Amino acid sequence: MITMKNIILEGNPTLRTPAEEITFPIGEDIQTMGQEMLEFLKNSQDAELAEKYQLRAGVGLAAPQLDVGKKMIAVHIPNVDDETNEPLLSTVMINPKIVSHSVQSACLAEGEGCLSVNRDVPGYVPRHTRVTVTYLDLDGEKQKIRLKDYPAIVIQHEIDHTNGIMFYDHINNEDPFHLDENVSILS
């Protein structure tokens, strides 16, 4: 089971090193790690389990945050679809790649946080409003997904981790709350 002690913090060189693509067939180690990453996110969002295991809540986790330089991310966005009662997005993505994106950008009103950053970093993090992502699932099946708004921001944050980029790299150094006119703020 992954806990906070498994997550490396900013300053660790793995977080700044572009990760390697994963080749198929994948080994049991990659399969297990993907499942455990998703389990961590679900546990971190469960108030009882989060308190019991002292987990910080997260909606995404990338393999480099576990000190593993591989292109794999897990996301669990709980905003439940009212009709199906399913999570908005809950999956493991291997070798995720943004293949297209919108010209429009958006950012979260409260900024972004990260399980690998134990400090508040104020400022807007502009990202594409819409993205199309291709990836392989844990069975090696090709997937393509279109995301917008919050899920698109989460995916971009996690894919950045596989490229050695931290969220605060996107914040304007001179004016952290400056936004270009084509950026909308999501509350």
Side-chain angles (χ1 to χ4, degrees):
M1 180 178 149
I2 295 172
T3 63
M4 292 308 296
K5 69 178 178 7
N6 301 106
I7 297 174
I8 61 174
L9 300 177
E10 61 181 324
N12 186 307
T14 302
L15 292 172
R16 289 300 192 172
T17 306
E20 297 174 7
E21 289 222 339
I22 295 172
T23 54
F24 277 80
I26 59 171
E28 201 174 304
D29 56 333
I30 295 291
Q31 181 90 25
T32 301
M33 185 171 69
Q35 292 165 343
E36 287 181 353
M37 288 167 65
L38 195 54
E39 179 190 32
F40 168 86
L41 295 173
K42 291 175 182 177
N43 291 346
S44 78
Q45 294 172 24
D46 178 305
E48 219 171 90
L49 291 174
E51 186 178 339
K52 179 178 178 180
Y53 297 111
Q54 298 177 343
L55 307 177
R56 279 178 55 203
V59 291
L61 185 63
Q65 293 179 273
L66 300 172
D67 210 7
V68 177
K70 298 288 185 189
K71 287 191 180 282
M72 180 165 64
I73 65 173
V75 291
H76 184 73
I77 302 174
N79 305 19
V80 175
D81 181 310
D82 292 332
E83 291 176 24
T84 63
N85 206 28
E86 293 291 314
L88 201 56
L89 183 62
S90 185
T91 192
V92 175
M93 298 180 174
I94 296 175
N95 303 331
K97 181 181 278 179
I98 296 171
V99 293
S100 68
H101 59 77
S102 61
V103 175
Q104 298 85 13
S105 294
C107 65
L108 300 177
E110 69 276 6
E112 291 184 21
C114 180
L115 293 168
S116 292
V117 178
N118 281 339
R119 61 189 174 97
D120 188 33
V121 183
Y124 290 135
V125 182
R127 297 194 184 272
H128 302 294
T129 306
R130 288 184 195 78
V131 292
T132 301
V133 178
T134 59
Y135 65 96
L136 297 167
D137 62 23
L138 287 173
D139 296 323
E141 301 292 320
K142 281 190 171 182
Q143 304 290 335
K144 185 176 185 177
I145 188 170
R146 288 180 178 83
L147 301 165
K148 67 177 188 174
D149 298 333
Y150 183 69
I153 287 172
V154 171
I155 290 294
Q156 290 171 84
H157 178 113
E158 297 311 322
I159 289 176
D160 271 0
H161 274 305
T162 68
N163 294 313
I165 299 167
M166 300 294 283
F167 76 91
Y168 47 74
D169 296 343
H170 296 285
I171 297 174
N172 182 319
N173 285 333
E174 274 104 60
D175 183 0
F177 292 97
H178 169 80
L179 288 176
D180 293 334
E181 28 191 87
N182 73 331
V183 182
S184 57
I185 299 173
L186 305 177
S187 51

